[in-house]
Amino acid sequence: MPRSHNSAVPTPTTPSFAPLYLQIKTLLERSLEAREWQPGEAIPSEMELARRYAVSQGTVRKAIDALAADNLVVRRQGKGTFVATHTEERTSVFRFLRIRPNEGAALAPRRRLLDVRRGKPTADVARLLALKPGEAVLTLRRVLDFAATPVVLDEITVPAALFRGLTKARYDAYRGSMYAFFESEFGVRMLKAREKIHAVAADTVTAELLGTAVGAPLLAVDRLTLTYGDRPVEVRRGLCVTRDHHYLNELG
Amino acid sequence: MPRSHNSAVPTPTTPSFAPLYLQIKTLLERSLEAREWQPGEAIPSEMELARRYAVSQGTVRKAIDALAADNLVVRRQGKGTFVATHTEERTSVFRFLRIRPNEGAALAPRRRLLDVRRGKPTADVARLLALKPGEAVLTLRRVLDFAATPVVLDEITVPAALFRGLTKARYDAYRGSMYAFFESEFGVRMLKAREKIHAVAADTVTAELLGTAVGAPLLAVDRLTLTYGDRPVEVRRGLCVTRDHHYLNELG
DNA sequence: CAGTGGTCTAGACCACATC
DNA sequence: ATGTGGTCTAGACCACTGG
């Protein structure tokens, strides 16, 4: 059986002096990225993976624990370990959406797509998305209504190359969240995000769409979303009316 | 050796059918809360705790892993496991402070305490802090300067009973963060917090203190801070100028 | 019932820190 | 050299799921 500094594991990205369980984790991450198992499917059992990699079950367990902590897989006792998916996260529509009503329970908002445009990115966006010069992007605008009141105006920018065939009609026909749409229709999985928040004054277009006064204070939430390998795949600006809602953050 | 449903462990808060390692974790949490070991001190070694609770080292390890994940202790290979403390978190002044400059590295801000007042809480604050009727609070106001520019105006409210003898002079004499001050001078440890963010317009007092125009958009960050047992001990409102700074949040 | 993940144990060795 | 936490193993039993 391989020990900590073994070489029974082929071509690790993780340095060869990393603990075995992290090497196994890296291998599993690669299999996930390569879609060896589809979102929602079960990955092989711990015993089977232990045989495959010629390590003990305990070592595989630590690797899978780390994947579960990163939200890449979901463990279900008695059933197996499943590839995480945006399409069945009914309860956690709010994993990436931090806007909540000031009073009352958080109900899923209604999503209204306004338009889809193809164009050239701004310099900022091109840099954030690490685009090649001249590479085109798609820009989607949409509004989120909480209890029939418009609260958020999102402008979402993604590389056009990754989302060939994305049209307003196709999105409107899809039932589910934006990230579920991206995942199941285009094979792009959003894993992590970084948000930077500013307070801004509403311009005329935004004020019109959100039903506020021009100049009213809004939250501007700038999100950069990452997929496997920390590759950036989405830039998004959300403008939020925070009269009856707020942005929630838990600090550990 | 005790098994999962044993009773070798006295009076667990955690249900007796909880896994052993969680029962051990609960016991360790109680010892931490009771200050059996001081902040910054080492707790007993895994082997010694295993003997004390009559379980295996592996079970103690899982309990301590869970405490470390909650930021209650810090593990240091070769040295021991230490009670987490705010007084030595040089690198992580930013654990609870999410304001960052738009450009350049994040340097620790300068703290200016404006005043300390004793008084009656508003109804909202009394509810959030779960105060007894008529219980007094202390309210501190301070400004954070980033690179000599005022950026944040904080209004901090705590139960007076927990902070007897807190004066402006005493804080000014202390070198270190606010939470280090609370911890080492009053024995109150801030463990978790929940922040709700709104966009607001600057009033005249705030505009004066932060050097902005009246009506300028500001971030209002309302924080409720918890100590052991999720007991609330601080309510704080931070008003932030986000022209050259932003609030940063990482989504997993 | 068989198969899965979840817990617990006992013992080995490694890496790091200190004396 | 000794003691600490970190990794790895092998095997046992428990709890949950589904045929």
Side-chain angles (χ1 to χ4, degrees), chain A residues 10 63 116 160 170 175 205 207 230:
Chain A
V116 178
R170 193 161 162 199
R175 306 193 54 78
V205 175
D230 285 345

Side-chain angles (χ1 to χ4, degrees), chain A residues 116 138 140 158 163-168 170-171 181-182 186:
Chain A
V116 178
L138 298 178
L140 294 71
V158 294
F163 295 86
R164 292 185 190 289
L166 194 168
T167 61
K168 178 171 185 336
R170 193 161 162 199
Y171 175 78
F181 178 62
F182 288 169
F186 304 95

Side-chain angles (χ1 to χ4, degrees), chain B residues 24-61:
Chain B
I24 305 292
K25 185 194 175 199
T26 299
L27 292 176
L28 290 171
E29 276 173 344
R30 287 209 202 139
S31 292
L32 287 168
E33 180 171 3
R35 302 231 148 204
E36 184 171 331
W37 316 289
Q38 294 307 307
E41 274 186 16
I43 71 173
S45 72
E46 294 178 354
M47 287 302 295
E48 189 173 332
L49 290 171
R51 281 192 294 275
R52 173 185 305 190
Y53 297 122
V55 300
S56 77
Q57 184 192 7
T59 299
V60 169
R61 167 170 291 274

Side-chain angles (χ1 to χ4, degrees), chain B residues 58-88:
Chain B
T59 299
V60 169
R61 167 170 291 274
K62 278 203 76 168
I64 295 179
D65 282 345
L67 291 176
D70 292 347
N71 290 310
L72 292 181
V73 298
V74 176
R75 318 193 76 145
R76 280 199 262 267
Q77 181 171 160
K79 302 184 70 172
T81 300
F82 298 80
V83 181
T85 173
H86 286 285
T87 66
E88 62 181 54

Side-chain angles (χ1 to χ4, degrees), chain A residues 1-2 19-21 55-56 59 62 77-79:
Chain A
M1 293 71 185
L20 238 196
Y21 76 92
V55 300
S56 76
T59 299
K62 278 202 76 167
Q77 183 172 157
K79 303 183 71 171

